[in-house]
Amino acid sequence: MFLESSSNLREIDMGTFQNALAVASELASQRRFSEFGKRSLGLVYERRLTLGLRRDLQVALSAPSAKIPISVRKLTAEDVPLLFPENQDSLSRRERVELATRRAHFSADIPQCYVAVDLRNGMPCYCQWLMGSDQNTRIQAFFPKSWFPVLQQDEALLENAYTLAAYRGKGIMSAAMALISERGLDIGCRSVITFVDSNNVPSLRGCRKAGFSPYIVRVERRSLFGAMALRHFSGLSPYADELASAGATLPS
């Protein structure tokens, strides 16, 4: 279990660097110079805190309900063009990046992706991967180095959530997360972990409704527009005040 700092690991991520340049170009072309300046300063050097959250599957949970009726099941081939459309001309750069990330995960063939389905029409409206410890090697190879801790035998990782734009604001994330997490019992897991940026208060709130509580922090120091990163894991205590001021609810 990671309660203290793990070993530091530096990497050069050219994909992140190229994405940062695209963002800068987009802001400049839109004459959003103030935002461009603030973002540029943050990308030259930035420290980012990401909360690791955990749900104990042995603890009973009254699952939250979405505003529409949903169920969850494994992803099928028919879902792929609906969730990850080929034609993305009308989408924003940010939305295209979000979809590209999930499409890359799908192409990496790391099981298991689940979808939430709108029971009114059978439409998949949300997806997220639940990965057990038997996928440790693939997880560590696919994601950036030190992005996630190595899973224990009775742990699963819940990652890469995506809600279709038309279904946002309907409480689907927390309801689907709660249901998908419970599939961890089918692969012998006692707990499920996930990671959320400490400033993403809406997602943290949704995770809490789904039964997740903070237990660890991923500390990342980035420089050169994100092209170089130094990451380690830490317990919550050293960052408690900073996390609380950002709006994260920590265990007492």
Side-chain angles (χ1 to χ4, degrees):
M1 184 181 299
F2 288 84
L3 293 179
E4 299 298 330
S5 298
S6 68
S7 60
N8 293 339
L9 191 53
R10 184 179 300 275
E11 67 167 4
I12 296 178
D13 185 348
M14 292 309 298
T16 302
F17 179 66
Q18 292 168 355
N19 182 61
L21 290 178
V23 173
S25 177
E26 181 178 295
L27 293 174
S29 67
Q30 296 172 0
R31 303 182 66 83
R32 294 157 63 184
F33 298 123
S34 176
E35 188 176 347
F36 171 81
K38 291 178 181 178
R39 185 173 181 87
S40 295
L41 286 174
L43 287 171
V44 171
Y45 174 79
E46 178 186 30
R47 192 192 67 169
R48 178 175 296 179
L49 301 180
T50 303
L51 272 172
L53 304 108
R54 180 168 54 201
R55 176 182 170 188
D56 185 344
L57 296 177
Q58 304 300 312
V59 176
L61 174 72
S62 178
S65 298
K67 295 178 182 179
I68 63 170
I70 64 168
S71 64
V72 300
R73 58 166 171 76
K74 293 181 178 180
L75 178 82
T76 67
E78 290 75 20
D79 297 323
V80 176
L82 299 173
L83 290 167
F84 316 124
E86 293 290 343
N87 186 352
Q88 301 179 8
D89 294 342
S90 63
L91 302 180
S92 67
R93 180 204 59 81
R94 182 172 183 176
E95 194 75 12
R96 292 196 301 270
V97 169
E98 292 289 323
L99 281 170
T101 301
R102 277 66 182 183
R103 184 89 193 197
H105 196 161
F106 169 74
S107 297
D109 196 27
I110 307 175
Q112 177 63 56
C113 183
Y114 287 88
V115 297
V117 176
D118 181 349
L119 291 176
R120 301 170 303 176
N121 55 22
M123 178 75 176
C125 54
Y126 175 94
C127 68
Q128 194 167 27
W129 276 260
L130 180 71
M131 299 166 282
S133 61
D134 60 327
Q135 300 301 319
N136 267 324
T137 300
R138 285 172 148 185
I139 292 168
Q140 296 298 324
F142 176 72
F143 291 97
K145 295 176 182 177
S146 291
W147 203 247
F148 299 117
V150 174
L151 296 171
Q152 303 298 307
Q153 188 174 1
D154 61 352
E155 281 183 330
L157 172 66
L158 194 61
E159 181 57 27
N160 265 340
Y162 181 75
T163 305
L164 267 65
Y167 283 92
R168 291 170 191 170
K170 301 182 185 299
I172 292 172
M173 186 194 87
S174 56
M177 281 187 73
L179 294 172
I180 295 171
S181 296
E182 289 168 4
R183 299 297 180 98
L185 294 169
D186 298 338
I187 55 174
C189 292
R190 177 188 173 90
S191 61
V192 176
I193 64 173
T194 192
F195 283 76
V196 179
D197 190 286
S198 62
N199 292 310
N200 192 343
V201 176
S203 289
L204 290 171
R205 189 180 300 121
C207 289
R208 185 166 66 250
K209 290 179 181 177
F212 287 82
S213 299
Y215 81 105
I216 200 174
V217 181
R218 184 177 71 221
V219 184
E220 182 178 19
R221 291 176 173 84
R222 304 172 69 181
S223 59
L224 298 178
F225 288 81
M228 298 188 70
L230 183 67
R231 304 185 186 98
H232 71 276
F233 295 101
S234 170
L236 299 173
S237 297
Y239 303 96
D241 292 342
E242 185 175 350
L243 291 168
S245 66
T249 301
L250 302 180
S252 54

